[in-house]
Amino acid sequence: MNDRQGLPAGLLATAAWQERLDAAVARHRVPGCQVGVLALDDEGGVEVRVLASGLTSLDTGVEVTADALFQYGSISKVWTTTLVMQLVDEGRLTLDTRVVDVLPEFALAEAGHAEAITVRQLLTHTSGIDGDVFTDTGDGDDCVAKYVEALAEAGSTTRPDGPLSYCNAGFVLAGRIVEVLRGTTWDEAVATHVVGKLGTRHAVTRPAQALLFRAAVGHLPDRSDPERPVAPAPVWTLPRSVGPAGLITGSADALLRFAAAHLRDGVTPTGERLLSAESARAMRTPQVDLTARSTVDNAWGLGWILTDWAGPDGPVRAAQHGGHTIGQHAKLHAFPELGIAVCVLTNSDDGAGLVEELLALVGEELGLRYPTPLVDRDAEPAVLDEMLGVYETVLARYTLFRDDEGGVSAKMARKSPLGGEDELVEPPTPVRPAGRGRFVSVINGADTEFTRVVDGEDEYLYMYRLFRKVSAPTA
């Protein structure tokens, strides 16, 4: 089906839209932002519009322009998937190739797990590997290889091919597969096999490259100054070793040109073939059903999350992904049926609320309604009693407990890698029941769904990644 409609004449193109963006940035207390839209025309060309607002850094006062760079964060996973699918196109591997057949050195702490994991499981977050592994293995070209070696001590969240749990480590492994089969670094593979085909310079993977452009700095909450609720983060980026999971930095224009290649079934705006049409379509074909876990997301494809927006004649499917790094939030939604893509890039840890508001505003002009979590307004806190408890990943502890007012609240703490006291990073916040086994809470300024998942004797909270239940509530 082809319902290409082009872009409304005024979308992101009027003084009123600039005022609307500036007001939203100020209201959410986000230092800076880009919002962009792209549409394919009937001849296969593209129209891109980008609007910018605010500052790249509160310390420097440098303004955000349309060509400024923001961190894409985990949207980078779709780029890494694209690199893997290029290798599939070339017959260098298949989705069902075992990882150890390409990386014989790959091992995990759980006996037998590494040998069972396939490339498909890496790209669909079903490898079972504990995903929140951010080992810093230095800045050398061998950092990804060293990261893979260090996984020999990493644990597992589930068995291979078990319940989906968001896994950064799996995409670093995918990036290492690219390195081995290409005989180069992941960074160079991105530059040569993706960015070089898009007709843009404004997408990079290394901090030294970002310095050549106007680059946004992440901002974190600052409780000490009510007049300045966020402050520039002390660290600009994550370790180079996790690049394939989330270290591409670029402009909204470059991100939309990447999306255009997928909307055009593998052909970039410059006319070069990035992927075969078969692989581009496979990436947005459902692999893992999410309807039992989410009222927002339908399925996980290969790299992409598949989400329906409400349209005038029924649901309209988006291939989408978000990103969250050190004080930056990003989101990309591409609509294959419409030939349209939209993205929002921000430089605040609490930027998720702004991202969702802007996506909803753009959606209104496109005749689409942005999907948000469904809340059961009649549900009593008692429907969550079976979920109360303490849940953990390797880096975080999430506690769901009955508060003094009889409601249900939650708090998040970061687990110290050195042991000892946890550092509280989120104060207790009330949650809203969304029916049995599900609730909604505000995370980074946006409504976020949590769902109970039971797998054999194990119980989890699902919020993209799985938090394993370890005990009854302690507070």
Side-chain angles (χ1 to χ4, degrees):
M1 184 172 77
N2 187 345
D3 295 326
R4 291 179 186 171
Q5 60 188 45
L7 297 176
L11 180 59
L12 302 190
T14 64
W17 247 105
Q18 183 69 62
E19 293 172 2
R20 181 184 294 180
L21 176 61
D22 293 342
V25 167
R27 184 168 58 256
H28 286 270
R29 295 183 158 188
V30 171
C33 174
Q34 285 177 351
V35 55
V37 292
L38 173 145
L40 305 184
D41 61 32
D42 291 336
E43 286 72 44
V46 299
E47 178 185 6
V48 181
R49 301 176 192 169
V50 176
L51 209 55
S53 180
L55 304 175
T56 60
S57 168
L58 293 180
D59 277 353
T60 66
V62 174
E63 292 185 356
V64 176
T65 54
D67 61 354
L69 309 190
F70 286 75
Q71 293 177 19
Y72 297 162
S74 286
I75 301 173
S76 304
K77 292 178 173 67
V78 186
W79 296 57
T80 296
T81 303
T82 300
L83 290 171
V84 172
M85 296 304 290
Q86 289 174 340
L87 294 168
V88 172
D89 285 341
E90 295 169 18
R92 309 282 292 277
L93 79 168
T94 73
L95 290 173
D96 297 317
T97 297
R98 296 188 311 157
V99 175
V100 292
D101 291 337
V102 184
L103 308 177
E105 73 279 12
F106 169 49
L108 293 167
E110 193 77 23
H113 276 204
E115 293 77 7
I117 295 171
T118 66
V119 172
R120 187 189 305 273
Q121 290 162 5
L122 299 182
L123 303 182
T124 58
H125 301 276
T126 56
S127 69
I129 305 169
D130 196 319
D132 291 324
V133 178
F134 294 95
T135 309
D136 187 346
T137 57
D139 199 47
D141 286 350
D142 60 352
C143 63
V144 175
K146 288 182 175 179
Y147 177 101
V148 172
E149 292 175 9
L151 286 178
E153 300 180 4
S156 299
T157 299
T158 72
R159 68 193 183 283
D161 206 29
L164 180 148
S165 182
Y166 193 81
C167 185
N168 290 289
F171 276 82
V172 180
L173 277 164
R176 180 58 184 157
I177 288 173
V178 171
E179 290 189 336
V180 169
L181 295 183
R182 288 288 181 210
T184 188
T185 64
W186 171 82
D187 302 89
E188 185 56 37
V190 171
T192 300
H193 296 280
V194 182
V195 178
K197 297 175 181 285
L198 296 179
T200 181
R201 294 174 50 246
H202 288 75
V204 301
T205 60
R206 303 295 311 281
Q209 297 168 319
L211 284 172
L212 300 175
F213 302 89
R214 186 183 297 238
V217 172
H219 291 72
L220 302 175
D222 183 0
R223 316 287 185 200
S224 65
D225 185 355
E227 297 301 318
R228 182 172 161 163
V230 297
V235 176
W236 187 73
T237 189
L238 293 164
R240 185 185 177 191
S241 56
V242 296
L247 288 197
I248 298 176
T249 296
S251 65
D253 177 85
L255 184 56
L256 290 170
R257 291 182 182 279
F258 172 78
H262 282 271
L263 292 174
R264 289 158 52 102
D265 282 341
V267 179
T268 72
T270 63
E272 292 196 62
R273 182 156 289 283
L274 186 68
L275 283 178
S276 69
E278 180 183 15
S279 287
R281 292 169 186 155
M283 284 179 61
R284 55 182 191 261
T285 298
Q287 302 283 323
V288 181
D289 183 23
L290 294 179
T291 54
R293 297 196 191 182
S294 175
T295 61
V296 174
D297 301 319
N298 300 83
W300 215 291
L302 298 169
W304 291 112
I305 307 167
L306 306 175
T307 302
D308 286 348
W309 293 44
D313 301 315
V316 178
R317 175 62 50 90
Q320 60 97 354
H321 212 292
H324 180 202
T325 59
I326 303 172
Q328 301 203 36
H329 271 276
K331 197 82 168 182
L332 170 66
H333 280 251
F335 302 91
E337 294 177 12
L338 306 179
I340 287 175
V342 56
C343 71
V344 182
L345 309 176
T346 75
N347 61 348
S348 173
D349 205 52
D350 287 334
L354 173 63
V355 169
E356 295 202 345
E357 179 178 332
L358 292 174
L359 288 174
L361 288 172
V362 172
E364 286 178 10
E365 295 209 17
L366 296 173
L368 304 172
R369 188 172 73 249
Y370 182 73
T372 56
L374 299 180
V375 177
D376 185 349
R377 301 189 184 282
D378 297 324
E380 297 293 332
V383 303
L384 301 181
D385 281 350
E386 64 183 357
M387 299 174 66
L388 301 180
V390 180
Y391 300 80
E392 292 186 351
T393 69
V394 68
L395 288 182
R397 175 174 291 118
Y398 190 88
T399 304
L400 192 67
F401 61 97
R402 181 77 67 179
D403 58 37
D404 293 339
E405 285 73 41
V408 176
S409 293
K411 61 183 179 182
M412 180 87 80
R414 182 165 53 246
K415 294 159 62 178
S416 170
L418 302 177
E421 294 293 326
D422 293 346
E423 178 187 355
L424 186 66
V425 294
E426 291 286 349
T429 57
V431 304
R432 290 171 289 163
R436 186 166 299 280
R438 192 192 309 274
F439 65 88
V440 173
S441 185
V442 175
I443 303 291
N444 299 121
D447 277 354
T448 304
E449 278 187 318
F450 290 77
T451 304
R452 183 175 183 246
V453 172
V454 178
D455 181 46
E457 297 181 356
D458 294 318
E459 184 176 340
Y460 305 89
L461 275 184
Y462 170 79
M463 190 267 291
Y464 288 109
R465 58 186 38 76
L466 292 175
F467 288 70
R468 186 193 300 272
K469 190 170 188 178
V470 296
S471 70
T474 59

